[in-house]
Amino acid sequence: MGNPSSDGDDYVEVVLSLVERIPWGRATTYGDLAEVVRERTGTGGPRQVGRVLSMHGGGVPWWRVVRADGRLPAHNEDAARQNHLAEGTAMLGPERVDLRTAGWDPHDSDSPNRP
DNA sequence: ACCTTGACCTTGG
DNA sequence: CCCAAGGCCAAGG
């Protein structure tokens, strides 16, 4: 049943809950995340995911969400880099996550993937 | 209702 | 690899 409080809050909750599930040392993209969120809430896109993280990302590992090409978030690249370094995330360059290895698909949030 | 902005994506040169 | 253009979705002025 729906929580009639507000759809906007629901959207935010869905995004944050998914971001919290991204495993240590892995990463996913705004686009893939938005795709799953859209299936659950019926709305939103990559930019909306970015908006949510910019406003409410303080309590979740936001640095594990990167752009489609693996580049770090466009406003906190420095902090993101430090976190990935600490997590030992597979990187291609100093500013790019290796999604081929560290990529995590929010669709398969139940099982491990991409060894 | 129109226009601008933004933690985006994809394609083409 | 770098750059530009068009598309996309919602919020705020």
Side-chain angles (χ1 to χ4, degrees):
Chain A
M1 75 74 198
N3 193 327
S5 314
S6 143
D7 292 2
D9 292 350
D10 184 32
Y11 186 88
V12 172
E13 290 306 313
V14 172
V15 171
L16 295 182
S17 66
L18 283 172
V19 172
E20 275 183 352
R21 292 171 84 127
I22 305 173
W24 180 279
R26 309 281 280 282
T28 191
T29 69
Y30 293 96
D32 281 5
L33 211 44
E35 213 172 283
V36 175
V37 175
R38 191 176 180 77
E39 285 178 15
R40 292 193 68 177
T41 68
T43 187
R47 314 201 73 134
Q48 276 48 255
V49 171
R51 180 183 297 277
V52 169
L53 291 179
S54 74
M55 295 188 295
H56 311 278
V60 299
W62 53 265
W63 58 89
R64 293 176 191 160
V65 182
V66 301
R67 303 189 223 178
D69 57 0
R71 293 203 315 165
L72 306 174
H75 271 266
N76 291 65
E77 300 186 24
D78 183 60
R81 186 165 43 244
Q82 315 267 344
N83 281 289
H84 286 301
L85 179 65
E87 298 187 3
T89 310
M91 305 287 291
L92 288 177
E95 310 211 332
R96 237 174 116 194
V97 170
D98 183 1
L99 291 173
R100 190 176 46 178
T101 302
W104 178 82
D105 190 344
H107 292 97
D108 307 333
S109 54
D110 281 333
S111 47
N113 55 54
R114 303 220 215 295

